[in-house]
RNA sequence: GCGCCUGUAGCUCAGUGGAUUAGAGCAUCUGACUACGGAUCAGAAGGCCGGGGGUUCGAAUCCUCUCAGGCGCUCCA
């Protein structure tokens, strides 16, 4: 569809140029030609509002301009356009030739599982960091959304020719995991009978901590009590991180998300890179000391306040290892890095970007996109706060479990992924668990999957009815003359540009919507027209090719979303 | 107070650089041929696109003000 646009763009530009040369249009040069998608077949295959755009500079009514342009397009010279018409206030509606439709079909069949891909990315190395949940508890549904979106974004970027990788940053150092160790320690000692102990401020109250502490007691009984407090907490911290991280990995694995790289904050700290960062900043005179702490001149970068990088207790604030981590990403050769963060990290964005700038990296090297929150809502519509520290949250595992009870294990992940992927990143998602589970059967993913299964079923029937596999060259595509067939192919032709725009704009949800629309054209077609018709086998062969195309696009699209394309349901 | 996000049908959401008649799904109502799978299809109903003002021949879309909700502005991460 993109090629067709640039070709038609050229034709119309030439027509405008000819009109200018003939003194019929009082403008100097032909502008770029915009296209608008057509909502109904009555508006042709594509349309351009160019005449409306020129109305002002040409000081002429748009319809008149459209008529002039129309006059200078030589339809007989351009085989890809079958007809032009002027509509409404001055739109030029363009009808594409049948030959173009046949080419599209042949193209889909030829490219098969690669249909939709492109090479725009020229194999540039891009890294997407997402989820990066603290290893202090199970993954919740917020991480689930991030996981689904990030995973799909990487698929999309790879599909358009980038070399994109998934990375998870493990915050296995600093105050949070320190308090994790302390929390496990309290539960451990409580399990062994100590009273009057309380989880410290900012510690973790979740049931899973108690459960894990009991496991430690079961394995090692009270042997750890012999250790000094600090040693024991440190040990429990290590054990806790390993345990919870392992759990997170299992959940992600179940959810179909496989990270290429797991980076450790502790490793970054141990590497000495944070010290390098500080030295670089000091040399560049970005730092100063005040009240016993070391501050970074964030105001030099336009922020409204400076921020502490080394606390008065001489520990780094989290900015330092984080900046070091990003420098490390750069050293690993990524030409671009995208961080997907939650909205609670809003304040972090400008600062992190400023740190990266201070390190001398280009402005657009680091892109930070916010994936909006997921709120838990009860059946009365009241929000419920999720907090790992307070032990209130809804885990991704539980979601998949409950969905599995409703739609079966086979589709639970598909339903969950689709649920997250169908929303734009910036929607604030109110998640009603009860509703999500009871309505799981209504999830639109089934509509798409069913369309795919239907295609497979038709081929199954075809085999039973002794149809043979005919290569597309032997099939008379001219027998595909129904308007519904026309619409299906035109839709399928959009697939590559939908992938491209979806990847470039980081708007993953366009893929589910596109697939839903495609399925929405296929089901009515199926009901209206028989594919396999023994009284017209030539046409049946042509329609089988069409079904093959639709199945291919559906499968390719679902594959990008990490959702299964079942052959039967 | 400042910054970011959101507000579209009863509900959940689409709406690509303004543009031909604002669209789906769910829910509601009415229908579907002994035919390739009824997880489907055909149809009905449902809207001052939060509100005011502005730019434009034309605004859900751009600008401005305003209302409502969420999030962020820590020597927490």
């Amino acid at each position: 569809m993109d090629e067709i646009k640039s070709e038609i763009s050229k034709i119309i530009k030439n027509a405008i140029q000819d009109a200018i040369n003939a003194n019929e249009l009082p403008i100097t040069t032909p502008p770029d030609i915009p296209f608008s998608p057509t909502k109904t077949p009555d508006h042709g295959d594509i349309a351009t509002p160019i005449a409306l755009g020129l109305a002002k500079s040409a000081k002429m009514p748009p319809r008149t301009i459209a008529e002039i342009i129309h006059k200078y397009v030589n339809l007989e010279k351009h085989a890809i356009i079958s007809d032009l018409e002027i509509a409404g206030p001055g739109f030029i509606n363009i009808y594409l030739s049948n030959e173009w439709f046949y080419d599209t079909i042949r193209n889909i069949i030829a490219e098969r599982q690669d249909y939709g891909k492109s090479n725009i990315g020229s194999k540039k190395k891009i890294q997407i960091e997402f989820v990066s949940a603290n290893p202090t508890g199970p993954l919740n549904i917020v991480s689930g959304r991030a996981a689904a979106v990030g995973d799909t974004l990487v698929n999309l970027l790879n599909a358009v020719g980038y070399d994109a990788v998934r990375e998870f940053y493990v915050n296995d150092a600093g105050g949070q995991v320190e308090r994790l160790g302390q929390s496990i320690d309290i539960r451990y000692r409580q399990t062994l009978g100590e009273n009057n102990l309380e989880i410290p401020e900012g510690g973790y109250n979740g049931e899973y901590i108690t459960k894990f502490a009991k496991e430690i007691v079961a394995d090692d009984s009270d042997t750890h009590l012999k250790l000094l407090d600090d040693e024991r907490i440190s040990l429990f911290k290590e054990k806790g991180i390993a345990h919870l991280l392992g759990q997170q990995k299992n959940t992600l694995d179940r959810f179909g998300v496989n990270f290429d790289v797991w980076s450790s904050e502790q490793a970054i700290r141990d590497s000495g890179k944070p010290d390098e960062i500080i030295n670089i900043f000091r040399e560049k005179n970005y730092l100063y000391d005040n009240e016993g702490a070391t501050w970074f001149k964030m105001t030099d970068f336009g922020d409204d306040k400076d921020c502490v990088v080394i606390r008065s207790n001489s520990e780094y604030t989290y900015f330092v290892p984080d900046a070091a981590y990003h420098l490390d990403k750069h050293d690993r050769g990524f030409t671009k890095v995208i961080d997907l963060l939650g909205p609670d990290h809003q304040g972090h964005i400008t600062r992190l970007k400023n740190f990266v700038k201070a390190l001398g990296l280009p402005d657009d090297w680091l892109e930070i996109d916010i994936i909006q929150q997921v709120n838990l809502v009860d059946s009365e519509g009241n929000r419920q706060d999720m907090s790992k520290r307070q032990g209130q949250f809804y885990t991704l595992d539980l979601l998949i479990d409950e969905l599995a009870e409703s739609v079966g294990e086979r589709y639970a992940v598909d339903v969950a992924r689709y649920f997250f992927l169908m929303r734009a990143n910036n929607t604030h998602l109110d998640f009603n668990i009860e509703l999500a589970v009871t309505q799981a059967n209504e999830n639109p993913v089934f509509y798409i999957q069913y369309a795919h299964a239907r295609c497979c079923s038709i081929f199954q029937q075809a085999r039973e009815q002794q149809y043979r596999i005919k290569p597309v060259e032997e099939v008379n595509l001219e027998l595909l003359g129904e308007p519904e067939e026309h619409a299906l192919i035109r839709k399928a032709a959009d697939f590559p540009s939908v992938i491209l725009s979806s990847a470039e704009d980081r708007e993953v949800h366009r893929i589910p919507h596109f697939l839903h629309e495609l399925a929405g054209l296929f089901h009515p077609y199926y009901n209206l027209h028989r594919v396999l018709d023994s009284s017209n086998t030539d046409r049946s062969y042509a329609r089988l090719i069409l079904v093959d195309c639709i199945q291919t696009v559906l499968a390719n699209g679902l594959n990008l979303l990490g959702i299964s394309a079942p052959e039967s349901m």
Side-chain angles (χ1 to χ4, degrees):
Chain A
M1 199 45 120
D2 281 341
E3 296 90 40
I4 207 81
K5 279 184 186 166
S6 67
E7 202 167 336
I8 291 175
S9 178
K10 247 180 258 167
I11 292 170
I12 293 185
K13 269 193 187 179
N14 287 339
I16 293 175
Q17 187 62 57
D18 290 347
I20 293 171
N21 295 345
N23 284 323
E24 290 203 43
L25 270 182
I27 55 172
T28 49
T29 51
D32 285 336
I33 309 299
F35 288 102
S36 53
T38 55
K39 285 173 202 158
T40 86
D42 298 341
H43 297 159
D45 296 311
I46 46 174
T48 172
I50 182 64
L52 297 115
L54 286 176
K56 197 170 191 179
S57 52
K59 296 199 174 70
M60 290 167 75
R63 267 198 91 99
T64 312
I65 298 174
E67 277 157 20
I68 293 169
I69 295 172
H70 188 195
K71 192 170 77 183
Y72 281 95
V73 175
N74 185 346
L75 284 182
E76 284 165 24
K77 233 176 90 187
H78 304 293
I80 55 165
I81 300 178
S82 79
D83 199 11
L84 287 186
E85 68 177 21
I86 294 157
F91 285 93
I92 301 174
N93 293 339
I94 299 157
Y95 293 85
L96 298 173
S97 72
N98 287 334
E99 205 44 49
W100 177 77
F101 283 90
Y102 306 149
D103 281 348
T104 301
I105 292 173
R106 285 189 277 261
N107 191 24
I108 296 173
I109 298 295
E111 295 190 13
R112 188 62 65 182
Q113 68 273 9
D114 289 330
Y115 177 69
K117 295 184 182 173
S118 55
N119 305 313
I120 307 286
S122 347
K123 291 289 158 208
K124 274 190 271 207
K125 280 182 74 178
I126 297 195
Q127 183 217 70
I128 321 296
E129 184 207 324
F130 58 106
V131 183
S132 296
N134 285 341
T136 53
L139 292 181
N140 60 25
I141 52 176
V142 181
S143 297
R145 182 181 193 180
V149 171
D151 190 45
T152 300
L153 182 56
V154 172
N155 287 341
L156 289 172
L157 288 167
N158 283 326
V160 298
Y162 289 96
D163 178 8
V165 299
R166 300 165 176 81
E167 183 149 329
F168 189 119
Y169 184 51
V170 184
N171 298 107
D172 54 359
Q176 300 297 333
V177 286
E178 199 59 39
R179 280 182 284 277
L180 171 70
Q182 293 164 356
S183 303
I184 296 172
D185 181 51
I186 300 290
R187 296 302 188 212
Y188 175 75
R189 286 155 60 195
Q190 283 175 336
T191 304
L192 291 170
E194 281 189 54
N195 293 319
N196 302 324
L197 296 174
E198 268 183 40
I199 297 289
E201 180 82 23
Y204 295 89
N205 280 293
E207 192 53 38
Y208 61 93
I209 298 286
T210 312
K211 199 175 152 224
F212 181 57
K214 283 180 179 163
E215 283 173 27
I216 297 177
V217 172
D219 290 347
D220 307 339
S221 100
D222 63 354
T223 52
H224 302 309
L225 288 181
K226 282 176 257 168
L227 298 172
L228 296 172
D229 283 0
D230 282 356
E231 290 173 348
R232 195 176 56 249
I233 288 170
S234 174
L235 174 73
F236 286 164
K237 181 177 89 176
E238 298 301 321
K239 277 178 174 287
I241 291 171
H243 173 70
L244 292 166
L245 190 58
Q247 229 175 41
Q248 292 183 352
K249 284 184 181 181
N250 287 341
T251 304
L252 288 166
D253 189 47
R254 183 182 182 197
F255 199 50
V257 179
N258 299 298
F259 282 91
D260 301 292
V261 179
W262 295 76
S263 276
S264 147
E265 178 181 348
Q266 190 61 56
I268 290 288
R269 286 178 187 251
D270 294 344
S271 73
K273 262 205 163 89
D275 308 324
E276 285 176 38
I277 296 274
I278 291 297
N279 288 336
I280 293 172
F281 288 163
R282 217 180 275 285
E283 273 169 35
K284 293 190 173 181
N285 199 26
Y286 291 144
L287 303 182
Y288 65 90
D289 296 322
N290 187 29
E291 295 175 356
T294 302
W295 296 69
F296 181 88
K297 295 177 186 168
M298 204 51 90
T299 44
D300 282 7
F301 294 84
D303 212 341
D304 48 8
K305 56 186 86 157
D306 293 336
C307 69
V308 171
V309 286
I310 305 176
R311 289 195 278 263
S312 46
N313 67 3
S314 76
E315 276 177 25
Y316 290 140
T317 58
Y318 73 101
F319 295 121
V320 183
D322 213 13
Y325 173 47
H326 282 83
L327 183 60
D328 179 67
K329 291 184 184 191
H330 182 262
D331 292 347
R332 279 188 273 151
F334 292 107
T335 55
K336 188 175 186 70
V337 158
I338 302 174
D339 290 358
L340 301 182
L341 299 181
D344 50 332
H345 289 77
Q346 190 62 243
H348 190 37
I349 295 180
T350 351
R351 278 176 291 191
L352 183 55
K353 291 199 77 135
N354 285 341
F355 279 121
V356 165
K357 194 191 266 189
L359 289 168
L361 302 179
D363 273 351
D364 59 352
W365 177 79
L366 172 64
E367 173 183 322
I368 302 181
D369 297 323
I370 295 288
I371 298 187
Q372 274 296 345
Q373 60 206 332
V374 180
N375 298 312
L376 270 190
V377 186
D378 62 22
S379 32
E380 276 83 47
N382 300 313
R383 285 227 171 84
Q384 297 173 326
D385 288 334
M386 274 196 276
S387 159
K388 252 183 237 173
R389 299 184 198 181
Q390 288 162 29
Q392 294 172 351
F393 49 85
Y394 189 73
T395 68
L396 181 55
D397 266 316
L398 185 57
L399 173 66
I400 302 174
D401 286 343
E402 295 200 2
L403 288 174
E405 277 183 34
S406 176
V407 300
E409 188 69 34
R410 182 181 172 196
Y411 294 109
V413 169
D414 290 343
V415 166
R417 286 185 73 122
Y418 195 89
F419 186 89
F420 289 126
L421 292 171
M422 67 192 284
R423 266 87 173 188
N425 294 341
N426 52 16
T427 55
H428 300 216
L429 204 163
D430 280 345
F431 194 94
N432 183 329
I433 304 156
E434 238 177 281
L435 220 57
V437 173
T438 55
Q439 292 186 348
N441 283 301
E442 312 296 339
N443 190 296
V445 74
F446 293 125
Y447 186 77
I448 299 167
Q449 289 180 318
Y450 187 56
H452 181 268
R454 242 184 184 163
C455 292
C456 296
S457 172
I458 292 168
F459 277 103
Q460 181 60 37
Q461 278 291 324
R463 278 189 291 275
E464 284 168 15
Q465 293 177 27
Q466 313 301 321
Y467 282 85
R468 59 189 185 85
I469 306 293
K470 265 197 186 185
V472 66
E473 300 78 34
E474 294 177 21
V475 173
N476 183 3
L477 297 176
E478 288 177 18
L479 298 173
L480 297 173
E482 300 292 345
E484 291 82 8
E485 294 168 333
H486 195 90
L488 275 166
I489 298 161
R490 196 180 52 190
K491 192 75 188 167
D494 277 337
F495 188 50
S497 55
V498 172
I499 293 180
L500 185 59
S501 80
S502 188
E504 286 184 333
D505 301 338
R506 329 282 186 235
E507 296 281 6
V508 167
H509 70 285
R510 288 181 198 164
I511 305 292
H513 286 280
F514 170 84
L515 294 176
H516 196 264
E517 285 165 7
L518 183 62
L521 291 172
F522 179 71
H523 286 305
Y525 170 68
Y526 174 89
N527 274 274
L528 199 57
H529 302 290
R530 266 195 83 77
V531 174
L532 303 176
D533 179 356
S534 52
S535 69
N536 195 341
T537 51
D538 284 345
R539 194 182 61 190
S540 296
Y541 274 113
R543 289 183 173 174
L544 279 172
I545 293 289
L546 174 65
V547 171
D548 196 3
C549 288
I550 302 309
Q551 185 192 329
T552 298
V553 175
L554 289 172
N556 291 358
L558 289 169
N559 190 36
L560 286 168
L561 303 178
I563 292 175
S564 68
E567 297 194 0
S568 67
M569 299 180 70

